[in-house]
Amino acid sequence: MKKRKIQVTIITGFLGAGKTTFINHLLTKYFDIQFALVENEFGDVAIDTQLIKGVDASQMFELKKGCICCTIADEYELVLQELAERFPHVEHLLIETTGVAEPASVIRPFFSDENLKELYTYNGTICLVDALNFSTQPEKEISVKQIVTADLVLINKSEKIGDDEVEEFIQTINKINPFAGIQLTWKNDLSDKVEIVPLQKKTRSAFDFLQFNTGHLKLESQTITFEKPLHKDSFQQWLSYNMDVYKNEIYRVKGILIFDNEPYEYILQGVAGSYEMEESDNFAALSAQSTIVLIGKLQGVQINKEMVEQY
């Protein structure tokens, strides 16, 4: 019997749009589907992979220190082949791109590589757009490319803007990509209305993804680690100060934090000069270190972590 091909869905969206949170909601909704996940992170520390729940750890593949769309394209295609061979029971593959990736280059191998065409069938691309920060977001060109390649656009954080702005936003998305479905989503309701199969309103072919140039934004990542548990108030003052001072340079901040006298880890998520911290379900190990990843144009960014460590 011919083996059934694995469905592939690409999850894209600019830094801080809510991709990882959406994937967690999706895994909860479709708990009866055997998923695998390829997680592409910008930087050398995999924060997002640690936040994913609902996929067996052995079926999560991390691609770090580069973007699939250019610097690690060969590694990406080898991982896809290995995944299909090692996990024949997998029904659906989710690929989360970095927030600065051009999705066309991530999608193209499923149409151009003969080996992958035998193993996978392309289901479509979901693009999350940050309604709150889209209008002031830097590097708008990459966001537009992400929307253009999408079969479904989720206007996330839509509860934080007015009805008139929502309507205007929908019109903007329709002008960029008239073939994509559009849905409004918010933090606590990211997947309830999303039907993952099928996604394509317009049947795609290799020609849909040929016009895009390979490459990604010339951004940097910086990792800051703290070996000892942090004083929560002091840390927040320190972070708020730096996020304000460098709000034009730091596009995205994320991390996993250990605080004094707090039994659980905290998840840090931030974009456009603001951030939030949320208690996770994982117990805080006293021996564990806190890790923060900054992404942006960081050449002039100088952050003194000793100001936090001295407390």
Side-chain angles (χ1 to χ4, degrees), residues 225-240:
T225 58
F226 302 93
E227 301 298 331
K228 298 179 180 179
L230 298 163
H231 184 276
K232 193 173 183 181
D233 290 342
S234 300
F235 172 80
Q236 288 183 277
Q237 291 176 20
W238 171 84
L239 182 63
S240 297

Side-chain angles (χ1 to χ4, degrees), residues 17-23 25-26 128 154 156-157 183-194:
K19 297 184 294 298
T20 302
T21 303
F22 170 68
I23 288 174
H25 281 258
L26 209 58
L128 282 87
L154 303 182
N156 198 23
K157 309 177 189 176
Q183 290 185 19
L184 304 180
T185 57
W186 46 95
K187 184 175 180 181
N188 296 320
D189 182 23
L190 264 171
S191 67
D192 287 355
K193 300 175 184 177
V194 176

Side-chain angles (χ1 to χ4, degrees), residues 10-15 19 40-42 66-72 95-107 125 127 139 141-147 149 212-219 295:
I10 313 296
I11 312 295
T12 191
F14 197 70
L15 299 164
K19 297 184 294 298
N40 185 204
E41 296 214 45
F42 192 89
C67 260
I68 290 172
C69 67
C70 57
T71 56
I72 55 174
I95 300 175
E96 180 181 354
T97 72
T98 72
V100 296
E102 179 211 296
S105 300
V106 180
I107 300 165
T125 295
C127 177
E139 319 293 353
E141 180 183 355
I142 194 66
S143 296
V144 170
K145 287 183 177 181
Q146 291 169 346
I147 294 169
T149 57
F212 294 90
N213 296 322
T214 299
H216 63 81
L217 301 175
K218 301 300 181 184
L219 303 184
I295 300 172

Side-chain angles (χ1 to χ4, degrees), residues 79-133:
V79 162
L80 292 173
Q81 291 186 47
E82 180 188 349
L83 188 154
E85 292 167 5
R86 283 178 54 189
F87 304 104
H89 61 285
V90 165
E91 301 169 88
H92 205 121
L93 172 62
L94 301 175
I95 300 175
E96 180 181 354
T97 72
T98 72
V100 296
E102 179 211 296
S105 300
V106 180
I107 300 165
R108 198 177 293 132
F110 295 105
F111 292 96
S112 60
D113 187 295
E114 293 302 321
N115 291 327
L116 295 183
K117 284 163 68 176
E118 289 295 316
L119 299 170
Y120 295 95
T121 181
Y122 175 68
N123 177 54
T125 295
I126 299 173
C127 177
L128 282 87
V129 181
D130 183 345
L132 187 62
N133 297 300

Side-chain angles (χ1 to χ4, degrees), residues 37-46 49 60-69 71-80 95-98 106:
L37 175 69
V38 171
E39 184 80 39
N40 185 204
E41 296 214 45
F42 192 89
D44 56 0
V45 176
T49 306
M60 288 197 291
F61 288 70
E62 298 174 359
L63 296 172
K64 299 183 292 185
K65 297 186 179 180
C67 260
I68 290 172
C69 67
T71 56
I72 55 174
D74 292 340
E75 179 188 349
Y76 168 56
E77 295 183 23
L78 289 173
V79 162
L80 292 173
I95 300 175
E96 180 181 354
T97 72
T98 72
V106 180

Side-chain angles (χ1 to χ4, degrees), residues 222 224-231 234-235 238-239 242 292 302-311:
Q222 181 180 330
I224 302 174
T225 58
F226 302 93
E227 301 298 331
K228 298 179 180 179
L230 298 163
H231 184 276
S234 300
F235 172 80
W238 171 84
L239 182 63
N242 283 289
I292 301 172
Q302 296 181 346
I303 294 180
N304 182 5
K305 71 174 189 176
E306 293 178 1
M307 292 177 66
V308 179
E309 292 177 322
Q310 67 187 356
Y311 285 96

